[in-house]
Amino acid sequence: MKKLRSLKSEQGSGTVMATALVIAALLIISAVLAWIGATRATMQAASAADLSALAAADTARGLRPGDPCSVAALIAESNGAQLSACTVEADGQSVRIATSVPVGVRAMGIELYLAQAQARAGAPPLGAPAP
């Protein structure tokens, strides 16, 4: 008669535990890398929005040639962002800009997150209290 193996044997459980730990570590690393990518994209969108708004406001005030929104789009693209919105305010010297930076897997074309930022540059809004 063959001897049956005891169900209480822990043979091979170390392999299962090691595999589980490796998978958990990979998931944590993936989450951290995704968070870092989203943070970087948010900072990139904010920087592009600020620079685009400043350039567009200078254009609106006549300090540089061109259309304010075209200049803003060019500056946003050169900073790795896309211009989402551009509004020259009623005073004609202030500009509101919105930019976005997609975050995802470029090789597969998957967009996981869209970092967005807004900026305003120019004269203070009409009726705003003086600083």
Side-chain angles (χ1 to χ4, degrees), residues 3-94:
K3 194 174 184 182
L4 294 176
R5 203 165 79 179
S6 171
L7 293 177
K8 293 183 180 180
S9 172
E10 294 183 8
Q11 186 176 0
S13 63
T15 303
V16 173
M17 180 62 79
T19 302
L21 288 174
V22 168
I23 290 172
L26 289 174
L27 288 173
I28 290 170
I29 290 170
S30 297
V32 168
L33 288 176
W35 177 75
I36 289 171
T39 302
R40 180 189 172 281
T42 301
M43 293 170 52
Q44 183 179 357
S47 176
D50 289 342
L51 293 171
S52 297
L54 289 170
D58 283 350
T59 304
R61 291 175 44 206
L63 298 176
R64 66 185 296 171
D67 173 55
C69 292
S70 298
V71 170
L74 181 65
I75 297 296
E77 286 178 24
S78 67
N79 284 284
Q82 300 161 350
L83 187 67
S84 304
C86 175
T87 306
V88 179
E89 293 183 348
D91 64 3
Q93 295 187 359
S94 302

Side-chain angles (χ1 to χ4, degrees), residues 93-119:
Q93 295 187 359
S94 302
V95 180
R96 288 190 184 275
I97 298 293
T99 59
S100 61
V101 175
V103 179
V105 183
R106 292 183 188 184
M108 294 189 292
I110 300 172
E111 185 177 302
L112 302 174
Y113 175 73
L114 186 65
Q116 297 178 331
Q118 295 181 354

